[in-house]
Amino acid sequence: MRLRHIEVFNAIMLTGSVSAAARLINITQPAVSRTLQHAEIQLGFPLFQRAKGRLSATTEALALYPHIERLFAQLDEVQRLAANLRTASDAGELRVLSVLALSYEVLPRALKRFREQHPSIAVTLESLHSPQIMSALLLQEADVGFAFSPAVHPSLTQEALADSRMVCIAPKGMLPRALLRNGSVALHDLVKMPVIGLDSRDPVGTSLSQACRQAGVGFQQAVVTVQTYHAALAMAHHGLGVALVDGCTANSADRGKVDVLTLEPHIPVPIRALRFAGRPDSVAVRSITRFMREAIEEMKGPG
């Protein structure tokens, strides 16, 4: 199929008729009909059944369509990248991405110092999950990203900022006093406790799952599963269960409502600055990265 065939096929799938498809892609109705006919001749099978002025997709068309959708999604990414490249030379703006856990305390501290040194640079900040941060950097929709997971794409560079670790946050009165006196808790100590679940697709959630398997520990069914560490912390604040979070998030814990303990075994949470490898670092990027490292060092959690 040629690109024009694909465009017409997609338009018909979206609209359900030749006339509506013609309006969608701004060509004449006869042109849509001819292009569809050429596509079907080239393919050797019909894409649509025609009845009472309506088109219904054939089995072959339905099999093709998911691949066509992915192709158009990739074309959208190309257009977005081209638009971003047109504006990438704007030195008066710094576009920052961060996982939510770093945007509550660490990033505001870093940005305060950044603004003191670079008052004329406008900063935009978006909080995303680590995979989304990597995708946005590859599309050059941001200048720098701060995440817990190391870069896995060859077009991204990573810079180690600090190594945090997972911490146990327990509602007051939930853990035995002996554990509180010790100041640490092991995974097997939590087997019979209600635990707030972390999304297993999250890098920290994946590390926790691996540590549990290695320790031969299986928690009870999670009382609730969340996608962000601050959501887990909020659940612990309200007494729903034990939250296992990163050290940066633990710094936001209300010690009047929860106990904060070191978690054993040591489950590292590496904090990384991610950048697109094909672009030289600007002064602004180097500056915010330095201030992030300093802020993390100041706020390191237990252990």
Side-chain angles (χ1 to χ4, degrees):
M1 295 180 75
R2 297 178 180 176
L3 186 58
R4 193 57 164 175
H5 296 161
I6 292 172
E7 183 182 24
V8 166
F9 170 67
N10 183 65
I12 297 173
M13 289 293 289
L14 290 173
T15 63
S17 71
V18 168
S19 58
R23 290 192 297 271
L24 179 65
I25 57 178
N26 198 29
I27 63 174
T28 65
Q29 186 172 332
V32 170
S33 297
R34 286 195 302 271
T35 302
L36 175 59
Q37 184 179 27
H38 292 161
E40 291 178 325
I41 291 172
Q42 188 180 79
L43 290 169
F45 54 78
L47 292 169
F48 298 94
Q49 299 292 342
R50 298 152 179 83
K52 297 181 181 179
R54 295 288 297 177
L55 298 178
S56 58
T58 62
T59 301
E60 292 82 1
L62 293 174
L64 279 173
Y65 192 52
H67 301 276
I68 300 298
E69 286 185 308
R70 287 197 292 272
L71 176 60
F72 271 85
Q74 291 172 335
L75 289 173
D76 286 341
E77 287 191 350
V78 170
Q79 291 176 338
R80 286 162 54 196
L81 177 56
N84 293 329
L85 290 173
R86 283 198 300 271
T87 60
S89 60
D90 184 4
E93 180 185 14
L94 176 66
R95 302 166 298 173
V96 179
L97 303 176
S98 172
V99 291
L100 193 62
L102 297 175
S103 66
Y104 282 91
E105 295 288 343
V106 177
L107 194 49
R109 289 175 179 238
L111 284 175
K112 182 179 180 180
R113 295 175 183 175
F114 178 86
R115 293 287 298 154
E116 289 171 352
Q117 286 203 3
H118 307 281
S120 64
I121 296 180
V123 180
T124 59
L125 168 65
E126 188 173 3
S127 296
L128 300 171
H129 293 291
S130 295
Q132 295 170 315
I133 289 175
M134 294 182 190
S135 177
L137 288 171
L138 289 171
L139 290 171
Q140 299 191 47
E141 294 177 333
D143 302 300
V144 62
F146 300 106
F148 289 144
S149 58
V152 295
H153 196 283
S155 294
L156 294 180
T157 62
Q158 59 174 318
E159 179 180 346
L161 298 183
D163 287 313
S164 183
R165 65 177 297 171
M166 293 203 72
V167 175
C168 175
I169 311 289
K172 289 287 186 182
M174 183 169 286
L175 295 180
R177 290 187 177 182
L179 290 178
L180 298 180
R181 286 195 299 269
N182 189 41
S184 67
V185 61
L187 287 173
H188 62 77
D189 293 322
L190 304 175
V191 170
K192 296 184 179 180
M193 300 285 179
V195 176
I196 308 301
L198 289 177
D199 190 337
S200 61
R201 294 169 295 181
D202 178 88
V204 177
T206 299
S207 296
L208 176 60
S209 297
Q210 291 174 345
C212 287
R213 285 195 299 270
Q214 292 172 357
V217 171
F219 295 135
Q220 297 177 354
Q221 176 107 18
V223 290
V224 62
T225 298
V226 298
Q227 291 190 327
T228 67
Y229 319 121
H230 271 80
L233 176 61
M235 300 300 166
H237 279 159
H238 286 274
L240 283 171
V242 172
L244 304 178
V245 301
D246 66 284
C248 293
T249 298
N251 278 292
S252 300
D254 183 345
R255 303 300 179 107
K257 296 179 179 179
V258 296
D259 295 307
V260 181
L261 297 90
T262 301
L263 181 65
E264 298 293 346
H266 180 101
I267 302 175
V269 182
I271 304 173
R272 303 288 183 258
L274 307 180
R275 296 181 287 270
F276 183 67
R279 291 175 59 189
D281 291 342
S282 65
V283 171
V285 167
R286 292 196 297 270
S287 182
I288 189 61
T289 301
R290 181 177 75 255
F291 291 139
M292 280 292 289
R293 180 185 290 106
E294 293 175 358
I296 292 168
E297 288 296 327
E298 291 173 1
M299 298 190 62
K300 272 189 175 180

